[in-house]
Amino acid sequence: MKLTTTNFGEVILLTSPALVGAVESVGFKTDIFESKNGTEQRTPLKDKARQTLNFDSVAVQKEVASVFNSQWGGIRHNWAVPLFHELQFVGDVSADFVMCRTDIFSFYDGCLALLKNDTEQVLVEVEAVENDRLLLADVVSIANAELYPVRVCFISGDISKKINNFIARSSISFVVIDEPEIQESVPAQFLADDIYWFQLLLSSGSLEVTLSQQQNMINNEVGVIFQNSDWNFARYSKQYRAVIHSAEDLYAYRQFLFRRKGKYRPFWLPTYEANMRCKSTGFISSVMLIESDQYKQLGNARKHIAVRSNQTWTAHTITTSALVSGSTVQVTVSPALNKNASSIERISYLGLHRLDADSIDLHYQGAGNVEVTVPILEIGV
């Protein structure tokens, strides 16, 4: 369906719905300068994220001809693509405004939106977005309507199709032209960087992690071999897998992504492992006894810990540590713990991480469920 809009000119409205399994890619670009000792300096190279929508859609019988003509004649035109995963029911509309939620959906002043029911689809132009409504450029009348944000896109590459006597199934990749900026949400801070306590989901009952460190290997091929590393410390990487079940959680995750800007902005996160074992008893202020566990010999460079007590995590810095016996190390932490030793459930190392990918894929599984997996890398201790 070819339509003319005020802000975007002629666009072709995508009328066939997306099938379950759509993938949205949010892409950033970061230049990373890595020094010999493994420290990094990161520079963001994109002012805005690049959004790509990849999905299959199906046209059935009477729709096949219209879809073919739209694709054949419009493959290099701009398209108006509804965001089917941001559906909300708004009921009967007969005015120049639509009462709806705007806080967690992708509307902005001057954007397009789609009102749709079982028999008709109306593309509307949004003049302004208010807290509880969209102000429209024209009066619209439609009953039992669903509301979708609409992105203006162009088709990247080719359209792949599977056809038979009954249906035509198309696979299309759309590059978004008018992606809006997501308002970043600034989380709690620790040592001037963001800190998060999100849980890492297991895959097949476990979490796969990788410990790596740059390696120089000198092999003279005469029987002598030698190796060393230029990096100050090893790096710890893992997969951050998130399963999202609501529009509110999806918007919060988008805020997290845009706050990170791909690989650019670091954040503190615990290992969630039992990295220290408390030996203290009674009330602990700022001095705590722990099992040695080779901390002074091999782990002394790790100066930040997260302590879980009464199902709550807190962040601390180890200011001093000393071996007081063969199996006991005394550590002084700041800020003070101020809690009973019996309430401490776990002590984990706290590391400075970043996303280890500039492009993040969101997989829409249907029924409001979204799954995202992105690698994260520990770059500071």
Side-chain angles (χ1 to χ4, degrees):
M1 183 186 299
K2 188 175 182 180
L3 301 168
T4 301
T5 65
T6 302
N7 292 335
F8 304 101
E10 291 185 347
V11 296
I12 299 173
L13 176 63
L14 181 71
T15 55
S16 50
L19 300 180
V20 170
V23 178
E24 175 187 354
S25 297
V26 180
F28 302 86
K29 192 171 184 180
T30 310
D31 179 67
I32 299 178
F33 176 81
E34 184 179 285
S35 63
K36 187 177 181 180
N37 64 8
T39 57
E40 294 181 351
Q41 182 177 355
R42 297 172 302 280
T43 305
L45 300 180
K46 275 187 180 178
D47 294 332
K48 294 180 66 177
R50 174 66 49 79
Q51 183 182 15
T52 306
L53 306 172
N54 303 278
F55 54 77
D56 293 355
S57 63
V58 169
V60 181
Q61 295 181 336
K62 292 185 295 183
E63 302 170 347
V64 171
S66 174
V67 169
F68 177 89
N69 290 329
S70 296
Q71 294 176 349
W72 187 85
I75 187 171
R76 290 298 171 254
H77 287 63
N78 286 342
W79 288 68
V81 179
L83 300 181
F84 296 105
H85 52 274
E86 296 194 24
L87 156 72
Q88 57 178 311
F89 181 76
V90 294
D92 297 343
V93 178
S94 183
D96 61 352
F97 63 89
V98 181
M99 302 297 297
C100 62
R101 286 196 67 173
T102 61
D103 55 336
I104 59 171
F105 295 104
S106 304
F107 298 110
Y108 64 91
D109 294 351
C111 74
L112 302 178
L114 181 68
L115 289 165
K116 178 182 178 181
N117 59 22
D118 293 337
T119 59
E120 59 181 325
Q121 303 183 65
V122 181
L123 186 69
V124 297
E125 299 186 62
V126 177
E127 288 194 336
V129 179
E130 297 188 350
N131 291 334
D132 60 350
R133 70 191 68 195
L134 302 178
L135 303 182
L136 309 180
D138 299 297
V139 174
V140 63
S141 181
I142 184 172
N144 296 320
E146 297 170 342
L147 175 67
Y148 305 84
V150 171
R151 294 282 80 86
V152 179
C153 312
F154 64 83
I155 294 174
S156 175
D158 302 329
I159 300 174
S160 300
K161 302 184 70 172
K162 294 180 180 180
I163 58 175
N164 58 32
N165 288 336
F166 304 101
I167 66 170
R169 177 169 178 161
S170 304
S171 297
I172 311 176
S173 177
F174 290 101
V175 177
V176 178
I177 298 173
D178 68 328
E179 66 272 12
E181 287 290 333
I182 301 295
Q183 185 66 39
E184 297 177 4
S185 176
V186 180
Q189 300 290 293
F190 178 67
L191 302 180
D193 283 305
D194 300 349
I195 186 168
Y196 292 96
W197 306 107
F198 54 73
Q199 300 297 312
L200 300 173
L201 299 184
L202 303 182
S203 180
S204 301
S206 62
L207 180 67
E208 185 175 345
V209 301
T210 302
L211 190 63
S212 61
Q213 189 167 10
Q214 180 267 350
Q215 185 177 45
N216 301 314
M217 188 175 295
I218 302 170
N219 184 0
N220 294 323
E221 297 185 356
V222 292
V224 178
I225 190 169
F226 173 76
Q227 67 91 33
N228 63 12
S229 177
D230 295 323
W231 285 6
N232 292 339
F233 48 81
R235 289 184 172 185
Y236 208 45
S237 62
K238 56 183 76 74
Q239 296 291 324
Y240 170 31
R241 176 170 170 258
V243 180
I244 302 164
H245 301 290
S246 68
E248 290 84 359
D249 290 343
L250 178 58
Y251 184 77
Y253 189 84
R254 287 180 182 278
Q255 289 181 306
F256 168 76
L257 289 184
F258 278 79
R259 176 72 177 169
R260 305 275 61 80
K261 292 185 178 179
K263 299 178 181 180
Y264 171 61
R265 182 173 282 122
F267 59 96
W268 292 98
L269 186 73
T271 63
Y272 294 111
E273 300 178 34
N275 299 125
M276 287 184 173
R277 294 184 291 161
C278 179
K279 294 185 70 174
S280 294
T281 58
F283 185 80
I284 302 175
S285 179
S286 59
V287 176
M288 175 174 59
L289 299 178
I290 61 171
E291 293 281 357
S292 61
D293 291 329
Q294 301 190 71
Y295 172 73
K296 288 300 293 182
Q297 293 88 348
L298 295 172
N300 196 45
R302 302 208 65 124
K303 299 298 185 183
H304 304 101
I305 59 172
V307 178
R308 179 180 167 91
S309 173
N310 298 321
Q311 300 184 344
T312 301
W313 288 95
T314 54
H316 307 267
T317 299
I318 298 176
T319 56
T320 60
S321 62
L323 188 67
V324 295
S325 72
S327 63
T328 304
V329 174
Q330 177 179 290
V331 296
T332 303
V333 298
S334 175
L337 290 171
N338 292 331
K339 59 190 65 179
N340 289 315
S342 59
S343 70
I344 295 178
E345 301 161 7
R346 178 168 296 184
I347 304 175
S348 301
Y349 289 138
L350 190 63
L352 191 65
H353 294 69
R354 63 166 170 82
L355 301 187
D356 201 22
D358 270 334
S359 182
I360 299 94
D361 293 340
L362 290 79
H363 297 263
Y364 293 92
Q365 310 289 12
N369 297 312
V370 186
E371 185 169 348
V372 192
T373 301
V374 58
I376 57 176
L377 178 68
E378 187 183 66
I379 57 173
V381 295

